[in-house]
Amino acid sequence: MQRWFVVFTKPRREQEAAEQLRNQGFELFLPLLEQQKRRRGQWTVVIEPLFPRYLFLYVDPDQVSVAPVRSTLGVSGFVRFGGVMSELPQSVIDYLKGRCAPGSELIQPQRSRFVSGDQVEIVEGPFAGITAIFQQQRGEDRALILVELLGKANRLTILTDLLTPVEP
């Protein structure tokens, strides 16, 4: 019976490992995420693995030898616990694939409630009641905001759930 196993890759070589494994006829899943990153002073869009150094291999180890996987370019080996290859439940793969664009391994971001430049108010925590400017979404549950404190604009990362829109 085929199952999903976790493969550990060499640093920044997930794509190479995935390509090599596919060329060998293995079925795998490498979820990717599109992010904005600052490189050389400029914001650029980059596509990176959702789980750096990991990919998921679908195979029946009783029917197919997994020995070639360990010697594949870009692969360090299987994730193991007590010598047993780490298996991932099908439900986790289904959830991740459900978040991907159709026919792709690219995870689609959830829509943010806010747009860059929106005025927001912090509703809880030590900064409760302070008004800020929404800058950008950081992951699924965090946001980068601009808060004026002590006469200076400061960037702050905060849970998106702690923000509410300020009506103009």
Side-chain angles (χ1 to χ4, degrees):
M1 180 172 104
Q2 287 193 317
R3 301 176 308 247
W4 289 99
F5 294 96
V6 183
V7 175
F8 190 57
T9 68
K10 294 180 180 172
R12 301 184 194 280
R13 299 196 44 203
E14 302 90 353
Q15 296 280 4
E16 177 185 20
E19 183 180 330
Q20 294 293 326
L21 289 168
R22 284 189 179 112
N23 288 342
Q24 293 176 49
F26 288 105
E27 182 180 343
L28 58 99
F29 179 53
L30 174 62
L32 304 169
L33 186 64
E34 186 177 286
Q35 295 182 317
Q36 283 193 353
K37 292 211 171 180
R38 198 158 176 85
R39 300 248 168 103
R40 295 184 186 101
Q42 300 287 327
W43 285 103
T44 59
V45 175
V46 294
I47 296 176
E48 296 180 332
L50 180 63
F51 305 106
R53 296 197 68 186
Y54 296 95
L55 57 86
F56 310 113
L57 184 75
Y58 192 60
V59 68
D60 181 351
D62 298 327
Q63 299 292 323
V64 176
S65 173
V66 293
V69 173
R70 292 188 301 268
S71 60
T72 299
L73 289 175
V75 172
S76 288
F78 282 97
V79 173
R80 295 178 183 271
F81 295 103
V84 178
M85 292 189 314
S86 179
E87 195 174 327
L88 200 64
Q90 181 67 45
S91 60
V92 173
I93 297 295
D94 291 343
Y95 172 77
L96 291 171
K97 284 187 172 187
R99 295 278 317 275
C100 291
S104 165
E105 293 181 330
L106 186 62
I107 301 282
Q108 296 196 326
Q110 292 183 329
R111 297 261 183 230
S112 174
R113 296 182 301 165
F114 307 107
V115 178
S116 183
D118 282 356
Q119 266 200 317
V120 294
E121 182 179 334
I122 302 171
V123 295
E124 244 180 78
F127 298 105
I130 293 178
T131 302
I133 305 295
F134 180 84
Q135 296 286 293
Q136 71 182 44
Q137 194 70 33
R138 285 281 172 105
E140 287 189 27
D141 58 351
R142 293 172 294 144
L144 179 66
I145 59 174
L146 198 57
V147 179
E148 188 163 327
L149 294 172
L150 304 172
K152 182 181 173 194
N154 297 282
R155 289 184 174 188
L156 177 67
T157 301
I158 191 167
L159 291 173
T160 308
D161 290 344
L162 301 180
L163 300 175
T164 187
V166 172
E167 300 301 321

